[in-house]
Amino acid sequence: MRSEKTEILIIGAGPAGSVAAGLLRKQGREVLVLEREQFPRFSIGESLLPQSMEYIEAAGMMRDVVEAGFQYKNGAAFVRGGKFTDFDFREKSSPGWGTTYQVQRAHFDEVLAKAAERMGATVRYRHEVLSVDVDGEQPQVTARSPEGETYCVQARFLLDASGFGRVLPKLLKLETPSNFPVRGALFTHVEDRVAPGGFDRNKIRITVHPEHVHVWYWTIPFSNGRCSLGVVAKREFLEQYQGTDTERLKTIVAEEPSLSALLKDAVWDTPARSLIGYAANVKSLWGRNFALLGNAGEFLDPVFSSGVTIAFKSASLASDCLARTFAGESVDWERDYAVPLKAGVDTFRTFVESWYAGGFQQIIFHPNPSPEVRRMLSAILAGYAWDKNNPYVADSKRRLGVLEALCAA
């Protein structure tokens, strides 16, 4: 079997893998990326958060993204029954970017992967990882090329950015059940044909089902007159509906008057897809000379579009740890990587749990919100879940609980 060596081997060329590659190339590291699919390829999760722009910029990929022509995004709109509210992410308590983009992930992921290649990373498409050995001094990965050749790569460090493929968690038996209820999603892309002024295309629109607080819809406008459309609910709710995924999604959309009116002229030209049981967790985010990035480690829920931001944050933290490692410093991957990454994830978790319980919905639809509190909440919705200067980050459970009680009174 042919064998080769590299400094950093990354599994997956999605957002986490590509940004990690860019950050590591800026350090001068040799980077090899093995991607199972051929890009462009479909992926869900199109609405970015402003915090993610910091990592794109740090990775040297800002110009690539800006020039790609994606839909500008400055906030999020929420609809429930006859109530409407929105957040402008530029009006937030945390410093940093207040705008970002809504992206077709097939194009966005390809833009980032090409940027990683431009910066000197080697990206191999349609190369599948078959097995991994992390027991030796250096990780060894056995992979298969599209031509069928099996070969071995030895790396000084291994990063798993395989997303929902979760290569290392599966091969190394690191998977553990998520404590979230099993939820699913039905989704598609449509030509929305919403008249100009029909809704703010600069914001993602989150619509709550008129009867079920735990059921919500996303509408993510793109720059070409199309949008991503989906519904999220517990598996039992989705299983009530019969027919194809497209027919089921159409039926559920028809149950929400404002959304069905908004999309009354939409052209449903792309078969819908379904995803069940997407929440995931692992026993550990790192091991001997390897770490898990983004969704390969943990995925919570799509409601606040936090997935790509968490992926980028993990890439940033891991690249910082590797910079110190290659400089000869001692790195504690639990203290320096896992703990800080989980801190922000747990902030998002608190708000996700409150959303489905209905408490956070009561807060955001409150008729007389505090401007100062809204700025703090806007910062978290914009992705700044690691800003400990924000009381709703530093003490999220207690602060949110107090706010829920005040709104319910």
Side-chain angles (χ1 to χ4, degrees), residues 233-262:
K234 290 182 179 178
R235 178 170 55 190
E236 297 79 10
F237 179 88
L238 297 176
E239 289 176 348
Q240 300 178 89
Y241 298 85
Q242 304 299 314
T244 65
D245 286 341
T246 300
E247 291 168 342
R248 295 162 68 205
L249 180 56
K250 280 186 172 181
T251 300
I252 301 172
V253 168
E255 294 178 358
E256 209 297 310
S258 68
L259 185 58
S260 57
L262 186 72

Side-chain angles (χ1 to χ4, degrees), residues 190-201 205 219 221 225-227 258-267:
V190 300
E191 180 185 342
D192 57 76
R193 296 194 177 183
V194 176
F199 76 130
D200 187 350
R201 301 191 75 88
R205 178 184 171 118
T219 313
R226 301 180 64 78
C227 74
S258 68
L259 185 58
S260 57
L262 186 72
L263 299 174
K264 60 182 176 61
D265 297 322
V267 178

Side-chain angles (χ1 to χ4, degrees), residues 140-403:
Q140 293 196 69
V141 171
T142 302
R144 181 169 54 218
S145 73
E147 294 75 29
E149 179 198 14
T150 301
Y151 62 98
C152 179
V153 182
Q154 184 181 79
R156 291 181 63 180
F157 205 90
L158 176 62
L159 294 174
D160 184 359
S162 59
F164 288 120
R166 299 170 64 75
V167 172
L168 288 190
K170 290 176 179 177
L171 291 177
L172 302 180
K173 297 183 173 25
L174 297 173
E175 293 184 298
T176 188
S178 170
N179 59 0
F180 274 26
V182 177
R183 296 189 178 95
L186 293 169
F187 50 89
T188 188
H189 288 180
V190 300
E191 180 185 342
D192 57 76
R193 296 194 177 183
V194 176
F199 76 130
D200 187 350
R201 301 191 75 88
N202 295 333
K203 293 178 176 63
I204 182 176
R205 178 184 171 118
I206 302 296
T207 308
V208 182
H209 191 280
E211 296 179 21
H212 306 283
V213 70
H214 64 88
V215 180
W216 62 274
Y217 310 79
W218 77 71
T219 313
I220 304 172
F222 297 137
S223 59
N224 59 356
R226 301 180 64 78
C227 74
S228 174
L229 172 66
V231 63
V232 173
K234 290 182 179 178
R235 178 170 55 190
E236 297 79 10
F237 179 88
L238 297 176
E239 289 176 348
Q240 300 178 89
Y241 298 85
Q242 304 299 314
T244 65
D245 286 341
T246 300
E247 291 168 342
R248 295 162 68 205
L249 180 56
K250 280 186 172 181
T251 300
I252 301 172
V253 168
E255 294 178 358
E256 209 297 310
S258 68
L259 185 58
S260 57
L262 186 72
L263 299 174
K264 60 182 176 61
D265 297 322
V267 178
W268 294 64
D269 53 7
T270 304
R273 306 183 186 211
S274 62
L275 183 63
I276 300 293
Y278 47 73
N281 206 346
V282 290
K283 299 172 186 175
S284 176
L285 290 171
W286 62 280
R288 187 180 186 186
N289 295 321
F290 76 85
L292 310 180
L293 306 183
N295 293 350
E298 181 172 9
F299 182 77
L300 295 175
D301 192 272
V303 65
F304 300 130
S305 306
S306 61
V308 173
T309 299
I310 293 171
F312 286 162
K313 179 68 174 182
S314 68
S316 176
L317 288 169
S319 65
D320 287 346
C321 288
L322 287 170
R324 292 173 52 202
T325 298
F326 281 95
E329 297 180 32
S330 177
V331 174
D332 182 331
W333 279 82
E334 184 65 25
R335 179 195 65 205
D336 301 332
Y337 176 70
V339 170
L341 180 59
K342 289 177 180 177
V345 173
D346 286 343
T347 298
F348 282 124
R349 186 194 316 277
T350 298
F351 282 80
V352 169
E353 290 174 343
S354 178
W355 168 270
Y356 282 108
F360 189 52
Q361 294 185 31
Q362 291 292 105
I363 292 168
I364 64 175
F365 287 110
H366 194 276
N368 299 302
S370 159
E372 181 182 7
V373 170
R374 274 183 66 89
R375 282 169 52 81
M376 295 175 185
L377 298 180
S378 182
I380 294 170
L381 293 174
Y384 293 90
W386 290 267
D387 178 11
K388 291 295 182 68
N389 292 318
N390 185 340
Y392 289 90
V393 172
D395 191 14
S396 57
K397 279 188 179 293
R398 188 184 69 82
R399 289 273 185 168
L400 195 58
V402 170
L403 198 57

Side-chain angles (χ1 to χ4, degrees), residues 45-53 69-78 87-90 92 97-103 200-206 218-223 302-309 378 380-383:
E46 301 99 340
S47 195
L48 305 183
L49 301 183
Q51 168 78 91
S52 64
M53 302 296 280
F70 296 117
Q71 170 67 47
Y72 172 80
K73 175 185 174 182
N74 62 20
F78 295 88
F87 288 80
D88 188 324
F89 292 156
R90 295 165 296 184
K92 58 179 173 48
W97 284 82
T99 62
T100 185
Y101 296 101
Q102 296 179 148
V103 302
D200 187 350
R201 301 191 75 88
N202 295 333
K203 293 178 176 63
I204 182 176
R205 178 184 171 118
I206 302 296
W218 77 71
T219 313
I220 304 172
F222 297 137
S223 59
V303 65
F304 300 130
S305 306
S306 61
V308 173
T309 299
S378 182
I380 294 170
L381 293 174

